[in-house]
Amino acid sequence: MQFTINRKALLKPLQLVTAVIERRQTVPILANVFLNLKDKALSLLGTDMEVELSGRIVLEEAGKEGKTTAPARKLVDICKSLPEESLLKFQQKGDKLILQCGRSRFNLATLPATDFPISEESFSINNKQLTFTLSQKRLRSLIEATNFAMAQQDVRYYLNGMLWELGQGSLRAVATDGHRLATSIKNLISHVMADSQQDDRSLSDNQFIIPRKAVYELSRLLSDDEENEVTILLNNNQLRVTMQDYTFTSKLIDGKFPGYDRVIPQSGDKTLTVDRDLLKSSLMRVGILSNDKHRSICLEMKAKELRIFANNLDQEDAEDVLEVDYSGEAITVAFNINYLIDVLNSLPTGLVRMTLTSTEASVRLESVEESTSIYVIMPMRL
């Protein structure tokens, strides 16, 4: 293998591919990035056996074809240390990959490319799959509207990820950690179901659980451009997302996601309407003196008024009063302030509606102007 590439063209794809590689590896080759050169097409691939990312770069000049693997993070650090706009010359000699840039030279140890695990073959064998297309902007928006509610290392393993549910021309994302729930929906560009069987439960339910790490790594790849599209393939146990320069593959979580519909309050006799930014600013001010451990904050609601107050173990307290639109009996509810801030950050600017029934029942939050996202938070005990 031998090729020349501009540092700028290599660095970003190399960093994205390296991000999926775990820092601590029991299998040495999984700490490496797989490089494959065919004519002018250079492919970079990284994996941790659960998540895999392949990046593609078109070289200005054809090189000498070949495959190898090299230490991913060392290669990233070397490229970052070199001058911008510099040309990098790669050449493989025996079990070393030689990188030259000006008068700098680096000899990196390689491992055989034939030992590197690649999931492409195993994915294509399974012909029972769902295929759909949507814009990168919509998919990224869907993820960012819900990912904060995913569980972290929960014993209920199926909560350590995000549910994707395919509907008629739409994709819904749902995440919950048992204390809060986030759901959002976006329209698809196209949707095709291929070779599905009625006894194939995961395909017929149109529900798939994407692991937490896969959700975040995928979000890093997506742009805010409505014109750029992604094609998504889902089979019984794998997800594949294909875009212009990258192909992302991940295993799915094998489990049954809880019925989220039952958790979302459909009605309530108490309704608060307030400007999102006004509420967020007030919460952040008062939250400075909230309890550092529990992060609790209280909302006292009554006619045309919302009083927000908090205190801590040092007997310090803070309060703020906002003019709001409120209907229903007076009520005081305690929340984890971080949960409220996460929801407000995910909602669009404008008016926010909060629907309640009691101090102990779950609370529904949503935008007044847009109906694509719904959030549910469990109150804390007063």
Side-chain angles (χ1 to χ4, degrees):
M1 173 187 287
Q2 185 173 338
F3 63 93
T4 301
I5 187 171
N6 185 282
R7 171 189 176 275
K8 184 178 180 180
L10 176 63
L11 185 57
K12 181 181 177 181
L14 182 61
Q15 287 177 310
L16 289 171
V17 168
T18 302
V20 307
I21 299 173
E22 294 291 340
R23 288 189 176 272
R24 296 181 180 179
Q25 290 289 353
T26 56
V27 182
I29 200 165
L30 293 181
N32 282 16
V33 59
F34 176 84
L35 294 93
N36 182 16
L37 178 63
K38 292 183 178 180
D39 194 28
K40 290 186 178 182
L42 175 65
S43 297
L44 310 173
L45 191 147
T47 183
D48 65 355
M49 299 300 291
E50 300 291 327
V51 174
E52 176 186 290
L53 177 60
S54 173
R56 296 173 290 276
I57 307 170
V58 179
L59 304 179
E60 293 182 2
E61 296 181 3
K64 184 178 179 181
E65 296 185 357
K67 301 178 182 179
T68 191
T69 74
R73 286 191 164 79
K74 290 178 182 177
L75 189 54
V76 168
D77 290 342
I78 291 170
C79 291
K80 287 169 66 176
S81 70
L82 295 172
E84 293 185 17
E85 304 302 330
S86 57
L87 284 178
L88 313 182
K89 297 179 180 180
F90 288 86
Q91 183 179 11
Q92 186 176 12
K93 288 187 176 181
D95 61 353
K96 293 290 190 293
L97 181 65
I98 302 170
L99 166 57
Q100 287 184 291
C101 177
R103 302 180 70 176
S104 300
R105 177 187 174 98
F106 306 88
N107 292 335
L108 292 167
T110 64
L111 291 172
T114 53
D115 295 343
F116 195 88
I118 302 175
S119 70
E120 277 189 39
E121 293 81 2
S122 62
F123 192 95
S124 59
I125 289 172
N126 192 329
N127 62 353
K128 290 178 291 193
Q129 61 191 30
L130 291 166
T131 304
F132 57 95
T133 304
L134 73 166
S135 70
Q136 291 192 29
K137 183 177 181 178
R138 290 185 191 180
L139 182 57
R140 181 174 180 175
S141 174
L142 194 69
I143 291 173
E144 291 179 345
T146 53
N147 60 8
F148 66 87
M150 291 186 294
Q152 299 185 50
Q153 298 179 334
D154 198 296
V155 293
R156 298 164 293 182
Y157 62 93
Y158 46 82
L159 298 184
N160 299 319
M162 179 182 292
L163 174 70
W164 283 7
E165 182 179 61
L166 280 166
Q168 292 295 325
S170 66
L171 175 65
R172 180 183 295 277
V174 185
T176 180
D177 60 7
H179 302 286
R180 52 186 172 171
L181 180 143
T183 176
S184 188
I185 191 168
K186 297 291 182 183
N187 292 329
L188 303 176
I189 295 174
S190 65
H191 174 199
V192 178
M193 189 168 182
D195 298 324
S196 174
Q197 298 179 355
Q198 291 299 317
D199 60 353
D200 192 328
R201 183 176 178 180
S202 63
L203 285 178
S204 60
D205 286 351
N206 284 2
Q207 290 191 342
F208 307 87
I209 307 176
I210 316 301
R212 180 185 178 86
K213 178 179 178 179
V215 170
Y216 282 108
E217 293 300 334
L218 176 58
S219 179
R220 288 157 53 93
L221 299 173
L222 301 170
S223 71
D224 281 327
D225 191 347
E226 188 70 36
E227 299 299 321
N228 291 335
E229 297 180 0
V230 292
T231 299
I232 299 175
L233 284 78
L234 285 156
N235 63 26
N236 292 331
N237 50 30
Q238 281 183 302
L239 158 77
R240 172 155 293 172
V241 181
T242 304
M243 52 197 82
Q244 183 177 355
D245 297 322
Y246 299 96
T247 299
F248 178 84
T249 306
S250 172
K251 291 184 179 179
L252 300 175
I253 294 177
D254 184 14
K256 184 67 176 177
F257 203 83
Y260 63 89
D261 284 340
R262 299 192 300 270
V263 179
I264 302 175
Q266 300 302 316
S267 61
D269 58 354
K270 301 172 184 65
T271 304
L272 171 76
T273 304
V274 60
D275 180 79
R276 187 203 74 163
D277 294 337
L278 192 66
L279 177 58
K280 179 182 172 182
S281 297
S282 179
L283 288 170
M284 295 184 73
R285 284 194 297 271
V286 177
I288 294 170
L289 297 185
S290 65
N291 187 298
D292 290 338
K293 181 178 180 181
H294 301 108
R295 298 292 290 156
S296 60
I297 195 164
C298 294
L299 276 64
E300 182 185 72
M301 307 171 203
K302 53 186 178 182
K304 296 184 179 180
E305 185 178 287
L306 170 63
R307 176 173 169 255
I308 302 172
F309 60 97
N311 53 55
N312 58 33
L313 297 177
D314 295 324
Q315 297 185 341
E316 299 170 326
D317 62 81
E319 73 168 40
D320 199 7
V321 178
L322 303 177
E323 290 186 10
V324 297
D325 183 4
Y326 177 72
S327 62
E329 296 180 353
I331 188 174
T332 301
V333 187
F335 293 101
N336 181 313
I337 186 173
N338 294 335
Y339 292 176
L340 281 174
I341 295 295
D342 284 342
V343 168
L344 294 175
N345 283 336
S346 299
L347 286 169
T349 55
L351 294 177
V352 173
R353 181 187 300 113
M354 185 181 296
T355 306
L356 314 89
T357 55
S358 69
T359 58
E360 298 179 353
S362 55
V363 177
R364 173 173 174 152
L365 295 98
E366 59 198 314
S367 168
V368 172
E369 289 86 3
E370 298 183 21
S371 59
T372 56
S373 300
I374 298 173
Y375 301 94
V376 179
I377 302 178
M378 288 298 298
M380 300 176 71
R381 292 185 178 180
L382 289 169

